Each structure stands twice: as structure tokens, then as C-alpha cells.
């Protein structure tokens, strides 16, 4: 058989009993690496709360309305794949480089992590452990997520008169009542939000997760959820860390500077 | 199911009977903001989620509710350009019908025209379906109100109340729970129902909502911002009272 580069390889018949045939090709493994900026590690002691955003919508929300010019980037979390297929096997000479998840520290001691879309369910537990190892056990943790395995199913019946698009899950040690009602079954969280919640429950940390469910996979409009997510920051205990006003100008500015969002104007 | 083999051409069915391009067009509809329509006793109301316009954009160029004729209203969700083409063709057809038959179109006629046009584009080579779903509302000559919904496949159905666009399912569930003939027997009741339904999914308040009202033999009118804010205020007050009652019960 000829490979992509034209060299000839001889096929081995399975009828042959070769000594080297027992080697199993190792599967892909992932490592989560943390890279802190200068002085970033020292600032972790002052962190009082951690905000994790997972999913395009909530990441847009955090980047536009939560983060400000006064925030400082303190580090990045990388996901490295090992034993991945070589260029010879894939033929891809320009493989896509995974995007790191950035860590920002606000003046109010809130650590914000905008999780990259390259952090998949496979690596989520390691990612969660790495992230939570940065902060003290007494820190509050909030997870905002808009990326889910599935939308709310058609057989989902509202718990009450309200049929809001945001739901919550909290650990037993979380002292406050979440703004939004509990996530009903059969809806589920997965990937990073689930991994963070699990780590917090196991580690007895105070954690609340707010999940935004939208009806289709093709989510993309911040307007739908911005109002809902604002309410999250108007309640305890996160109101002291973030004062979020829905500045319409900021939303427009974000749209105009982010070219991949411009196609939203095609739809009315 | 590997959709990629059967989704490149509109005229190709998949083995299990799907027309993927039509289904993808329906996904495009879900990217548009929500439009809700309610048919009352002698009123039809269309309410749409208004997208916040950039500072330098002319607001009047961004319209989700259009007049097809003096007695026919349309709201759409999906691709703006496709909707514009449909609106233009429908308007021409309305006038052509009036000139030919000397009677204004019935709602069923113009809806069928739009739906037939959409269907034609699902069965032609080199074309793609319209990525728009339309709520068509108005009154026939005899004063009967109608509300129709068309979708990219070219089907059309008549409704008492319906929604289209993003979060349409949520709004429809709300309407199924709260719609009744008594609730929409007055104009105020119909307007309140439609605004309440839209506010289930539009959390930004009165500024991002637009309401169009039509009564028989009267021109369409848009609800002014003051009246809308008053209605939204009443709705929010009612919600707070209900939440308070629930707390007390617990």
C-alpha cells in the first residue's frame, strides 16, 4: 500500500503471527496545564469568588458586561493532547491550535474564567480540578453555562407559572437561595459545569450553577439571555462582586468588533 | 443518519424522507426573534420582539411587521432579505387580485399564495427554500378575523394564537395555557395576552417589544410606547403579586 507521501508499506496479514503485533496503539490523553502571569499566582490568595463561564452566550455576556478595563489577566489554562494522530495519518499540515481558557481578576477579588470551547467533556474533570485548586476552599463558585448536550425537551413541563430560560443547581453548602428555580428533570448539565459542580460537592465548596437553555442548537443572540443573566448578579451573594448594568452600547460595540457575530443582522 | 449526503440539493430526499434543506431553513427561522399573533373576537394583534438597533442605524429600516394590504398584516421571523421578497410579491398579488376581481384578497387566498411560492422554492433546482416563517393576520370582507402561519416548507395552517421564531415553543406553551375566548373577547385582553406571552421570553422590557393591532374596516395601528409601558407595568405587577402569593403558601 502507498502512503500519502508515496512510500510503499507492506501490509501484514493477520494470519501471520508477528512478535511485535501485540502493541496496542495508545489512545489520546489530555493534560491540563496552568500558566500564570507574573504576579498572578500571588494574587490568588486574595480571590473571594470564582466565576466560570461555559458556552458562547454566557462567555459573550461575561466578556461584555462583567469584565472591564480594570480587570487583569492573571493566567491561562491550556489543554494539551498527547498521542494524537500524526500529520502523516491526518494529512492536516495546519492543525488547529486549541484556544486556552483565560483567567481574569477583577478589582472586587472575583476570578473570572472564560472556558474555551476546546475544553470538552473528556478533559472537564481535570480542568475543574485544576481550576479549583487555584482558590481557597471557602471561596464561592458560580458557573454560568449556555452550552448543553441538548435543549430542554418538548416534554419539559414548567414547574410553575414562570417558564424562564435560566435554571439553577447548587451544592448543599451554598448558603443562599438561587435566583432561578432548580433545573428540572430530564434536563441535565454535562461537561465543564457538571465537573465543577461535582468537584464542589465532593470538596464541600459553596457552588451554584446557572444554566441557560435555549430551544435550538443554533444559539447566538445575546439579547435573549442578557436580561436573564443580569438578574443573577443582582442577587446575593454575587452582587457585591459584579455590578452589571445592561449597557446597550457595550453590546453593540461587542457585536461590531466581533466579526463572527455580524451575521446576526441577517435574521430578524 | 449522515445528513451530508442528502442535504446539498433541495430536490433530493433522504432515505427516511427528509428534505434537509427545508429543515435547515426552519433552523434559520429559529434564529430570528420571536413574533406572536393572537386572534380575538373582533381584533387581531401581532407582537414582535424588536431587536435593539445600533446607535447609528435608522430604526425605521428594521421592521418585522408589514402591511400587505389595508386589511392584511404580516410578521415574520428568519432571514430578513427573504421576507422582503415575500412581502413584495404578496403586495403585488394583493393589488393584482383587487384589480382583476375587484375585491380585496381574503386572508386564506394571500396565505395560500405565499405558501405556494415557498413550496415552489423547495422543489426547484438551483434554488433554496425561503428561510422565513410568516404570521399573517387580518380580516376578510365579511369582518371575520383570521390568523395564519406559513413555514419554509410551504405549509400553512390557521390558528387562534401562535408564535414563530426563537423560543416559539415556550410562547406557544404559554398561549395554550392562557388563551381562552373570554381572555381575547376585548381588544385590551388580546393585547395583554400577546404582550404577556412575548414577555415570557423577552426579558428586556417594553422597549424591545412592538405591537400592531387591527380591527375590521380600520387601518392598522401600532401601540405607542406609553401604553405599552403601562401594560408591561401591569403584567410585572401581576407577576410579583403571584410570586408573593406563592411564597406565602410555602
Amino acid at each position: 500500500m502507498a502512503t500519502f507521501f508515496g512510500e510503499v508499506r507492506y501490509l501484514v496479514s493477520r494470519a501471520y503471527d508477528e512478535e511485535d503485533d501485540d502493541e496496542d496503539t495508545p489512545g489520546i490523553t489530555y493534560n491540563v496545564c496552568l500558566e500564570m502571569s507574573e504576579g498572578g499566582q500571588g494574587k490568588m490568595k486574595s480571590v473571594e469568588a470564582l466565576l466560570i463561564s461555559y458556552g458562547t452566550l454566557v462567555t459573550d455576556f461575561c466578556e461584555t458586561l462583567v469584565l472591564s478595563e480594570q480587570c487583569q489577566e492573571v493566567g491561562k489554562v491550556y489543554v494539551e493532547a498527547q498521542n494524537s494522530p500524526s500529520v502523516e495519518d491526518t494529512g492536516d499540515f495546519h492543525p488547529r491550535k486549541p484556544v486556552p481558557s483565560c483567567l481574569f481578576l477583577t478589582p472586587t477579588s472575583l476570578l473570572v474564567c472564560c472556558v474555551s470551547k476546546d475544553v470538552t467533556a473528556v478533559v472537564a474533570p481535570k480542568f475543574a480540578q485544576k481550576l479549583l485548586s487555584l482558590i481557597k476552599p471557602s471561596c464561592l463558585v458560580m458557573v454560568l453555562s449556555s452550552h448543553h448536550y441538548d435543549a430542554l425537551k418538548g416534554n419539559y413541563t414548567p414547574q410553575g407559572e414562570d417558564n424562564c430560560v435560566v435554571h439553577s443547581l447548587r451544592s448543599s453548602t451554598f448558603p443562599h437561595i438561587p435566583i432561578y428555580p432548580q433545573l428540572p428533570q430530564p434536563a441535565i448539565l454535562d461537561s465543564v459545569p457538571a465537573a465543577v459542580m461535582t468537584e464542589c460537592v465532593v470538596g464541600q465548596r459553596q457552588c451554584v450553577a446557572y444554566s441557560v437553555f435555549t430551544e435550538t442548537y443554533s444559539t447566538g443572540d445575546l439579547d435573549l439571555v442578557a436580561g436573564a443573566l443580569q438578574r443573577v448578579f443582582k442577587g446575593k451573594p454575587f452582587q457585591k462582586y459584579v455590578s452589571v448594568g445592561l449597557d446597550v452600547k457595550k453590546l453593540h460595540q461587542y457585536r461590531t468588533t466581533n466579526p463572527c457575530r455580524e451575521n446576526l443582522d441577517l435574521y430578524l | 443518519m449522515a445528513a451530508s449526503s442528502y442535504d446539498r440539493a433541495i430536490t433530493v430526499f433522504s432515505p427516511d424522507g427528509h428534505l434537509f434543506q427545508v429543515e435547515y431553513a426552519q433552523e434559520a427561522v429559529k434564529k430570528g426573534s420571536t413574533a406572536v399573533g393572537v386572534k380575538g373576537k373582533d381584533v387581531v394583534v401581532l407582537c414582535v420582539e424588536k431587536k435593539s438597533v445600533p446607535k447609528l442605524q435608522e430604526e425605521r429600516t428594521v421592521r418585522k411587521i408589514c402591511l400587505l394590504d389595508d386589511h392584511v398584516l404580516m410578521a415574520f421571523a428568519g432571514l430578513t432579505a427573504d421576507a422582503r421578497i415575500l412581502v413584495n410579491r404578496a403586495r403585488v398579488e394583493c393589488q393584482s387580485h383587487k384589480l382583476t376581481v375587484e375585491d380585496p384578497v381574503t386572508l386564506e387566498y394571500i396565505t395560500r399564495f405565499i405558501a405556494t411560492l415557498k413550496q415552489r422554492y423547495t422543489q426547484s433546482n438551483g434554488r433554496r427554500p425561503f428561510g422565513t416563517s410568516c404570521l399573517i393576520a387580518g380580516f376578510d370582507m365579511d369582518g371575520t378575523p383570521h390568523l395564519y402561519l406559513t413555514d419554509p416548507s410551504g405549509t400553512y395552517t390557521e390558528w387562534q394564537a401562535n408564535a414563530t421564531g426563537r423560543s416559539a415553543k415556550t410562547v406557544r406553551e404559554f398561549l395554550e395555557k392562557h388563551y381562552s375566548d373570554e381572555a381575547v373577547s376585548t381588544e385590551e385582553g388580546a393585547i395583554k395576552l400577546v404582550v404577556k406571552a412575548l414577555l415570557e421570553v423577552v426579558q428586556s422590557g417594553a422597549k424591545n417589544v412592538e405591537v400592531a393591532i387591527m380591527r375590521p374596516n380600520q387601518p392598522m395601528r401600532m401601540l405607542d410606547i406609553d401604553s405599552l409601558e403601562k401594560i408591561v407595568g401591569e403584567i410585572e405587577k401581576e407577576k410579583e403579586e403571584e410570586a408573593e402569593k406563592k411564597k406565602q403558601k410555602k
Side-chain angles (χ1 to χ4, degrees):
Chain A
M1 122 185 152
T3 65
F4 181 80
F5 293 100
E7 61 186 82
V8 175
R9 283 190 189 166
Y10 293 102
L11 286 175
V12 178
S13 167
R14 282 179 295 178
Y16 243 61
D17 205 13
E18 293 236 351
E19 287 176 5
D20 298 331
D21 228 16
D22 294 335
E23 283 182 20
D24 291 328
T25 49
I28 301 173
T29 55
Y30 296 94
N31 277 339
V32 177
C33 308
L34 193 56
E35 186 184 291
M36 301 301 288
S37 64
E38 202 178 317
Q41 188 65 47
K43 289 179 181 164
M44 290 299 111
K45 294 173 193 171
S46 64
V47 169
E48 292 179 13
L50 170 64
L51 169 61
I52 301 169
S53 70
Y54 182 68
T56 312
L57 278 178
V58 291
T59 302
D60 282 354
F61 176 84
C62 289
E63 286 176 354
T64 309
L65 293 167
V66 175
L67 298 177
S68 63
E69 290 82 17
Q70 287 87 28
C71 294
Q72 189 187 3
E73 188 176 334
V74 292
K76 288 180 184 174
V77 185
Y78 292 91
V79 173
E80 290 173 352
Q82 290 173 346
N83 301 322
S84 49
S86 66
V87 171
E88 282 183 17
D89 295 329
T90 62
D92 183 5
F93 291 96
H94 301 283
R96 186 179 157 278
K97 289 180 185 171
V99 176
S101 309
C102 298
L103 297 170
F104 297 94
L105 188 62
T106 71
T108 51
S109 305
L110 175 70
L111 183 67
V112 180
C113 175
C114 299
V115 180
S116 155
K117 61 182 178 182
D118 291 317
V119 179
T120 58
V122 172
V123 75
K126 284 185 185 174
F127 183 89
Q129 281 169 6
K130 202 69 159 185
L131 203 54
L132 292 172
S133 66
L134 284 174
I135 57 172
K136 298 175 287 197
S138 57
C139 284
L140 289 164
V141 178
M142 177 155 75
V143 183
L144 296 181
S145 76
S146 62
H147 177 82
H148 302 292
Y149 167 66
D150 203 350
L152 281 173
K153 297 285 192 184
N155 59 355
Y156 158 65
T157 51
Q159 297 296 301
E161 292 297 320
D162 298 328
N163 192 16
C164 64
V165 295
V166 186
H167 297 276
S168 67
L169 279 176
R170 61 175 174 136
S171 63
S172 55
T173 48
F174 188 73
H176 304 279
I177 298 173
I179 295 286
Y180 287 103
Q182 189 168 315
L183 188 68
Q185 290 193 8
I188 57 169
L189 287 187
D190 66 325
S191 191
V192 170
V196 171
M197 278 298 297
T198 306
E199 284 297 318
C200 290
V201 166
V202 168
Q204 302 267 317
R205 289 176 184 265
Q206 298 173 35
C207 177
V208 65
Y210 287 104
S211 60
V212 179
F213 277 86
T214 52
E215 289 199 43
T216 71
Y217 294 103
S218 52
T219 59
D221 199 333
L222 187 58
D223 287 343
L224 174 67
V225 299
L229 289 175
Q230 258 194 300
R231 282 184 65 195
V232 166
F233 291 103
K234 283 180 182 169
K236 288 178 182 177
F238 286 89
Q239 63 189 88
K240 69 172 183 172
Y241 300 110
V242 177
S243 58
V244 176
L246 189 62
D247 189 344
V248 178
K249 289 176 200 169
K250 269 191 182 176
L251 281 174
H252 294 152
Q253 190 182 5
Y254 185 78
R255 283 206 189 96
T256 50
T257 53
N258 194 337
C260 67
R261 302 279 180 268
E262 279 186 4
N263 61 355
L264 288 175
D265 293 332
L266 288 176
Y267 304 92
L268 206 58
Chain B
M1 157 54 68
S4 57
S5 309
Y6 300 99
D7 65 353
R8 298 297 179 220
I10 181 65
T11 51
V12 175
F13 274 106
S14 71
D16 59 347
H18 286 274
L19 277 173
F20 284 109
Q21 279 298 311
V22 174
E23 290 179 17
Y24 296 162
Q26 283 161 346
E27 283 297 308
V29 169
K30 289 176 186 172
K31 284 177 100 94
S33 55
T34 318
V36 188
V38 159
K39 181 178 75 173
K41 191 177 162 195
D42 56 355
V43 67
V44 289
V45 186
L46 291 179
C47 183
V48 298
E49 181 188 348
K50 218 166 59 175
K51 214 167 182 174
S52 47
V53 293
K55 198 177 167 187
L56 295 177
Q57 191 176 70
E58 284 281 353
E59 199 184 306
R60 62 185 176 84
T61 58
V62 179
R63 282 278 177 263
K64 263 174 82 78
I65 300 179
C66 316
L67 259 182
L68 299 185
D69 204 345
D70 297 329
H71 62 296
V72 184
L73 269 180
M74 188 180 101
F76 65 89
L79 281 165
T80 319
D82 286 7
R84 189 183 69 237
I85 299 302
L86 284 173
V87 165
N88 288 345
R89 300 276 279 269
R91 281 173 174 169
V92 168
E93 180 62 21
C94 286
Q95 299 314 307
S96 172
H97 185 278
K98 205 183 271 184
L99 285 169
T100 314
V101 181
E102 292 186 356
D103 276 332
V105 294
T106 59
L107 266 290
E108 206 262 342
Y109 177 90
I110 195 63
T111 305
R112 191 161 16 99
F113 172 80
I114 292 171
T116 307
L117 181 61
K118 284 182 171 180
Q119 191 279 337
R120 219 174 285 144
Y121 278 69
T122 69
Q123 221 173 5
S124 306
N125 237 339
R127 293 179 178 184
R128 61 160 177 82
F130 285 95
T132 318
S133 186
C134 306
L135 275 170
I136 302 158
F139 292 85
D140 287 342
M141 268 199 310
D142 60 0
T144 319
H146 293 281
L147 175 69
Y148 287 93
L149 176 71
T150 67
D151 71 0
S153 66
T155 51
Y156 70 95
T157 40
E158 186 167 6
W159 296 82
Q160 315 269 29
N162 206 344
T164 185
R166 186 175 48 224
S167 307
K169 199 164 36 171
T170 308
V171 177
R172 209 172 294 126
E173 282 170 6
F174 176 88
L175 289 170
E176 281 170 7
K177 265 178 98 171
H178 294 91
Y179 181 93
S180 65
D181 291 335
E182 293 78 34
V184 299
S185 56
T186 61
E187 182 180 310
E188 291 74 24
I191 294 171
K192 199 167 182 183
L193 176 67
V194 83
V195 172
K196 212 171 169 181
L198 192 62
L199 288 181
E200 288 290 305
V201 296
V202 173
Q203 309 228 3
S204 318
K207 283 181 185 170
N208 287 341
V209 168
E210 201 169 39
V211 180
I213 304 146
M214 185 173 266
R215 298 192 74 109
N217 302 315
Q218 287 181 26
M220 177 199 78
R221 63 183 174 90
M222 304 297 290
L223 200 61
D224 57 284
I225 188 77
D226 295 326
S227 311
L228 200 48
E229 274 176 4
K230 195 177 161 194
I231 292 170
V232 169
E234 281 171 17
I235 291 168
E236 281 176 1
K237 198 177 167 188
E238 281 169 19
K239 275 187 178 173
E240 279 166 21
E241 282 168 8
E242 277 174 37
E244 204 51 55
K245 274 183 198 171
K246 271 188 202 170
K247 271 187 191 172
Q248 282 170 2
K249 273 183 190 175
K250 283 179 185 173

